[in-house]
Amino acid sequence: MREISIVGAGMTKFAKMPERDVIDLGREACIKAIKSSGVPRKDIQIAYCGTARTGQLLNRECGVGQTILLDIGISGIPVTSVGNFCASGSSALREAYLAIASGMYDVALAIGVEKLSVRKGKGLPLTSDGVTLLTALGFSPPAYFAEIATRHMYEFGTTEKQMALVTVKNRGHSRYNPNCQYQTSVTVEEVLASRPIVDPLRMLNCCPTTDGAGAILLCAKDLAWKYTDKPVDIIASSLHFGLYEKNKDMTTFNSDRASGKEAYEMAGLGPKDIDVAEVHDCFSIAEILHYEDLGFCPRGEGGPFVEQGKADIGGEVAINPSGGLLSRGHPLGGTGLAQTTEIFWQLRGEADKRQVPGARVGMTHTMGGFQDSIELADVASSCIHIYRQGW
Amino acid sequence: MNQATFDKERIDPVLADMFIPPSSHDNETHLVASKCNKCGVYFFPKRHICPNCFEEGTLEDKYLSNEASIYTYCVVRAAPVGFDSPYILGYVDLPEGIRIFTMIETDNMDDLKIGARVRLIAGKIRRDENGEDVMGYKFSVMKER
């Protein structure tokens, strides 16, 4: 299989932007990615665009990618929409990666975009896609993660303070990231005093509703030198649909464990080799599970891991130096490629005041979506990429 | 809720095939599952084909046990439209070897804990757009003896 490098990355600021539409957001991310890469538009041979809710919210099921590309003077190439829940953008990157790895194409563009601020129900949790039965019984994503938190606290003694510390860490990072919806630090006391959403989760344990886009330009590694002196190699790409089983232990995500294992094997690396990771902190408890499922700490020790500063910049592995979903917000399809953009900048040493010193190897992890099942609990998609400095 | 006077007309159509509400000749509520007569595994709600055996005609309808224990729970404060907050959701373990997502109710929040015994009842789940009760099944925390 051919080796792949990222040569350009770009993203919009993530925020509620009522005046901007999904095409406008995607266009900005693509322009930034292309201009940062030095790749002439005529070299781009194929594109994938990840979205999760443009059908339901904007009456635009197909053609988001095509419309964005047409707007910036690219037409006639294969363009495919990729829908894969919260991992839609990451899955678009994976498809682009596979297209080049196969040898059929040399240069590909991945786009991820979403406009969530148009949804109704301000102040209420986003409902999940296609879960009629669960919704009839009062389900929402924060309820699911709150159930996980209750069980994790019961089995391992994880505390509300430890969950709050995830938010405190990520919001602390956000002060140095102008692309985040929230760019202010918060204290443990502020998290614990914020509005209850679903006990034991409060408002500041939950990521906000946001609009935003990211785009990544990638090519075969042997061509990367044409475009940049500092390519960032993708050394692993893995994706799993939920691994559903009866009586599943809800303090771990089977899909994440499978994707993590496969990614480490593909990269020939282990958790100790990761310097910086952008993980899917849709809720603070989720990040605690990710420490464990991605192998950064043993089972049940995610709470102490954050409490002891091991997930800080300067700790064992810098988790979410961008501020994460808790600060940046989570425009479903937009999230994955914002994560990749952050890692691209981190490995190139371009992350300004939030730079992880000496970061050479990075990871992105995006997960989410639910099956409409009463008795099977996992997330519907988990997508992991591992990256390394390519120079 | 007086189980004998349960209004069948108000059952959420989405939930209608999943349970049998109480009636004049049976005061109990029943969850209807599929059991595979080949591998012996229960599935709730009912399935069209056993996902383990992948053969036609191995599934039969079975009532699940009416008592379970709480595996985990949460208390919803920011409720979706039609739901009255606070309300409790959770996963409960049934003796048939399956864990299911369900609404839970209790008279006393101190009784709500992992491992607590719960009993299946029929009752109100939410309100419709006219403010009328929409009915379904849920589990109620049992008093400790």
Side-chain angles (χ1 to χ4, degrees):
Chain A
M1 209 164 72
R2 292 206 292 176
E3 293 185 274
I4 316 287
S5 301
I6 299 176
V7 293
M11 64 180 287
T12 65
K13 178 180 163 58
F14 277 32
K16 289 189 176 70
M17 295 177 274
E19 72 286 1
R20 301 187 64 180
D21 67 21
V22 72
I23 304 303
D24 185 28
L25 294 168
R27 179 177 53 227
E28 180 187 331
C30 287
I31 291 170
K32 285 177 168 172
I34 293 168
K35 298 242 182 211
S36 80
S37 71
V39 174
R41 286 170 297 164
K42 66 174 173 46
D43 285 9
I44 300 170
Q45 296 169 320
I46 187 165
Y48 295 89
C49 182
T51 63
R53 287 297 174 83
T54 56
Q56 198 182 85
L57 294 177
L58 303 170
N59 296 317
R60 173 59 98 167
E61 198 87 55
C62 297
V64 173
Q66 287 88 334
T67 309
I68 291 167
L69 293 174
L70 203 51
D71 236 17
I72 56 171
I74 297 173
S75 61
I77 62 169
V79 182
T80 303
S81 302
V82 179
N84 203 8
F85 308 95
C86 302
S88 296
S90 305
S91 297
L93 176 66
R94 177 176 159 81
E95 291 302 319
Y97 170 94
L98 293 172
I100 300 171
S102 76
M104 263 187 93
Y105 302 94
D106 294 324
V107 181
L109 176 65
I111 310 165
V113 61
E114 208 79 56
K115 184 171 176 67
L116 281 189
S117 65
V118 292
R119 76 183 180 92
K120 296 192 178 76
K122 182 174 160 50
L124 292 175
L126 181 71
T127 51
S128 195
D129 188 25
V131 289
T132 309
L133 188 50
L134 293 175
T135 302
L137 292 170
F139 170 90
S140 66
Y144 182 71
F145 281 89
E147 289 161 347
I148 288 169
T150 302
R151 187 73 197 188
H152 205 275
M153 293 163 86
Y154 172 82
E155 288 197 21
F156 304 116
T158 306
T159 64
E160 290 185 52
K161 183 190 170 196
Q162 289 168 340
M163 291 194 282
L165 282 167
V166 173
T167 305
V168 169
K169 170 180 68 71
N170 293 353
R171 288 288 295 268
H173 297 163
S174 80
R175 289 174 296 168
Y176 307 114
N177 188 350
N179 291 320
C180 285
Q181 173 155 328
Y182 298 146
Q183 296 173 31
T184 53
S185 58
V186 293
T187 64
V188 169
E189 293 71 29
E190 286 170 320
V191 177
L192 296 179
S194 62
R195 182 162 72 93
I197 301 297
V198 183
D199 300 352
L201 301 183
R202 292 170 177 274
M203 180 70 107
L204 291 176
N205 293 120
C206 308
C207 66
T209 296
T210 309
D211 307 326
I216 302 294
L217 246 176
L218 53 165
C219 67
K221 183 173 172 59
D222 51 10
L223 299 175
W225 307 109
K226 273 174 61 182
Y227 306 119
T228 179
D229 294 334
K230 291 167 88 177
V232 169
D233 297 347
I234 303 179
I235 55 173
S237 173
S238 66
L239 172 67
H240 286 81
F241 170 42
L243 270 72
Y244 293 92
E245 60 182 13
K246 286 180 175 290
N247 302 314
K248 191 192 140 300
D249 179 346
M250 285 179 66
T251 62
T252 179
F253 287 108
N254 292 352
S255 45
D256 283 342
R257 288 190 170 263
S259 284
K261 182 169 183 291
E262 185 179 284
Y264 288 128
E265 284 173 4
M266 198 169 171
L269 299 174
K272 294 267 182 258
D273 299 312
I274 307 294
D275 300 314
V276 52
E278 288 283 311
V279 306
H280 198 87
D281 58 328
C282 47
F283 301 95
S284 54
I285 183 63
E287 185 171 309
I288 288 175
L289 263 68
H290 303 332
Y291 302 149
E292 301 174 14
D293 286 336
L294 300 176
F296 298 128
C297 72
R299 275 300 298 285
E301 295 181 19
F305 191 76
V306 66
E307 195 162 27
Q308 294 161 8
K310 293 178 178 174
D312 290 352
I313 295 175
E316 285 187 11
V317 51
I319 304 284
N320 286 328
S322 70
L325 281 61
L326 288 167
S327 309
R328 192 173 51 224
H330 180 31
L332 311 181
T335 285
L337 300 188
Q339 293 175 317
T340 300
T341 298
E342 176 71 14
I343 294 297
F344 180 75
W345 289 333
Q346 287 285 350
L347 298 189
R348 285 165 53 119
E350 297 169 354
D352 203 15
K353 283 187 188 167
R354 61 183 190 282
Q355 179 66 45
V356 176
R360 291 187 61 252
V361 178
M363 170 188 273
T364 56
H365 158 265
T366 332
M367 54 93 83
F370 298 93
Q371 292 306 117
D372 200 9
S373 170
I374 296 291
E375 59 161 328
L376 302 171
D378 199 4
V379 287
S381 61
S382 168
C383 191
I384 292 177
H385 289 91
I386 299 178
Y387 314 80
R388 186 166 54 201
Q389 285 176 341
W391 64 92
Chain B
M1 170 69 50
N2 181 343
Q3 296 286 297
T5 59
F6 188 84
D7 185 355
K8 288 190 176 66
E9 299 299 312
R10 304 225 54 85
I11 294 175
D12 188 331
V14 173
L15 307 176
D17 291 341
M18 297 170 64
F19 74 110
I20 308 288
S23 63
S24 52
H25 56 87
D26 182 355
N27 202 35
E28 294 281 319
T29 305
H30 299 284
L31 296 180
V32 185
S34 295
K35 184 188 181 192
C36 176
N37 59 30
K38 192 164 182 209
C39 68
V41 175
Y42 285 82
F43 303 95
F44 179 74
K46 292 196 290 182
R47 295 240 189 179
H48 299 285
I49 189 164
C50 174
N52 298 332
C53 302
F54 199 53
E55 281 179 29
E56 308 285 347
T58 68
L59 297 180
E60 51 190 88
D61 289 1
K62 289 279 188 188
Y63 287 169
L64 292 174
S65 299
N66 282 11
E67 289 190 17
S69 67
I70 294 177
Y71 171 77
T72 191
Y73 63 88
C74 66
V75 182
V76 180
R77 307 281 177 184
V81 175
F83 287 82
D84 294 325
S85 66
Y87 65 91
I88 305 161
L89 297 174
Y91 279 82
V92 300
D93 287 332
L94 289 133
E96 286 79 10
I98 60 178
R99 177 174 296 153
I100 63 170
F101 173 73
T102 182
M103 189 176 277
I104 298 171
E105 65 168 38
T106 183
D107 296 336
N108 183 352
M109 290 299 275
D110 291 339
D111 294 338
L112 181 67
K113 53 184 97 155
I114 288 175
R117 300 290 299 164
V118 292
R119 184 166 180 81
L120 181 68
I121 60 168
K124 176 190 163 186
I125 300 292
R126 61 179 173 90
R127 287 168 288 106
D128 67 15
E129 51 278 14
N130 302 318
E132 302 272 357
D133 288 354
V134 177
M135 313 301 280
Y137 68 85
K138 53 187 166 180
F139 282 84
S140 178
V141 179
M142 296 164 73
K143 294 273 172 253
E144 286 185 32
R145 295 188 191 97

